[in-house]
Amino acid sequence: MSQHVNEMYKQRAARWARKVLSIDIVLLLAGLVVLADWAIAQTVDRPDVRVGDEWKFAVYYTVASATPNRTWLITSVTAVGIDGTENGEPLRLTRELNVVESPRDKSSNFKLLAFPLEVGKRWHYVNDWVFKMNASTGKSTVDATIVGYEKVTVPAGEFDAFKLTSKESLSGTSPAGSQYAGEITRTYWYAPRARAIVRSVSHDPYLGTTTVELVAFQLRP
């Protein structure tokens, strides 16, 4: 009798072990599918920017604000670049939405974004710039990295976004001839749904901390 009971328990234990193993395999396969879908979602090509696309941003330094004070409006899209206005003044972008010239500055190779975007991607670039407010000129050497893909909330809403960081070593000369140097660090989020960097936080040794957040946007279909 005791031997019969022991055999029954062994058979039940074997069946239970097979069920657990089957469940583990199913969960593993499901996890692999989810990871595959996640990986696909993390690779994003250059956005199809359209004439009439508009973004309104709030730029602030110490006190947070949701009042827009910078508006981009696209007026022309060609194979070589994008033209528009920033607060009514000329704005020029690359096809990857990097600023070539704005009312504030002019750049030779500013490259916050390098499509296609995917988590883990890194790039290095050198940029010659002119700061129009005081006619300063200089050079920046920058290393950028896509560190993650996450949700970010700004006044315009919640977005799934790539999180990027960059470190910029800069040197330049003021109109008076004085030399200066420093390092700028940035953390910024690009949201494919908005076709834009929806949040950026920069730490500059001369300007302090600057935050830019998307407040509203309107995209052409």
Side-chain angles (χ1 to χ4, degrees):
M1 182 69 176
S2 175
Q3 183 177 358
H4 178 67
V5 171
N6 288 338
E7 189 64 29
M8 287 178 58
Y9 278 120
K10 287 180 180 179
Q11 291 176 358
R12 288 180 181 177
R15 287 196 297 269
W16 180 82
R18 286 195 295 270
K19 286 181 180 179
V20 170
L21 179 61
S22 297
I23 292 172
D24 286 344
I25 291 173
V26 170
L27 290 175
L28 176 61
L29 292 175
L32 291 175
V33 170
V34 169
L35 287 174
D37 290 342
W38 182 86
I40 293 171
Q42 305 313 303
T43 302
V44 171
D45 291 326
R46 186 183 72 192
D48 187 14
V49 175
R50 307 291 180 87
V51 172
D53 285 355
E54 183 180 57
W55 302 269
K56 295 180 183 293
F57 301 95
V59 183
Y60 59 88
Y61 300 95
T62 53
V63 180
S65 173
T67 301
N69 51 15
R70 181 180 297 170
T71 298
W72 282 10
L73 176 64
I74 303 305
T75 58
S76 172
V77 179
T78 68
V80 296
I82 299 170
D83 288 311
T85 60
E86 178 178 304
N87 295 344
E89 298 186 53
L91 172 70
R92 168 152 287 198
L93 310 172
T94 68
R95 288 303 305 269
E96 293 189 320
L97 295 176
N98 295 304
V99 175
V100 176
E101 187 169 7
S102 75
R104 294 163 287 114
D105 48 47
K106 184 176 182 179
S107 298
S108 67
N109 187 38
F110 195 47
K111 203 168 185 179
L112 288 181
L113 299 172
F115 291 93
L117 303 183
E118 57 183 339
V119 175
K121 183 175 182 178
R122 300 170 180 266
W123 62 96
H124 172 88
Y125 64 95
V126 177
N127 177 47
D128 294 314
W129 49 264
V130 177
F131 188 51
K132 293 182 178 181
M133 291 183 65
N134 63 3
S136 296
T137 60
K139 183 186 294 289
S140 296
T141 301
V142 187
D143 290 292
T145 306
I146 303 177
V147 298
Y149 188 77
E150 63 187 24
K151 293 187 181 298
V152 60
T153 301
V154 295
E158 183 180 76
F159 298 89
D160 293 318
F162 289 91
K163 181 180 180 180
L164 303 93
T165 61
S166 69
K167 288 187 177 181
E168 175 180 345
S169 297
L170 65 93
S171 60
T173 306
S174 73
S178 60
Q179 303 291 316
Y180 55 90
E183 182 177 271
I184 297 174
T185 60
R186 288 188 183 88
T187 303
Y188 51 106
W189 290 259
Y190 172 81
R193 181 166 66 87
R195 301 177 195 162
I197 294 173
V198 297
R199 188 169 196 265
S200 173
V201 181
S202 303
H203 301 282
D204 184 305
Y206 298 97
L207 300 177
T209 300
T210 303
T211 302
V212 183
E213 294 185 322
L214 184 66
V215 175
F217 66 105
Q218 184 174 3
L219 304 179
R220 299 301 180 184

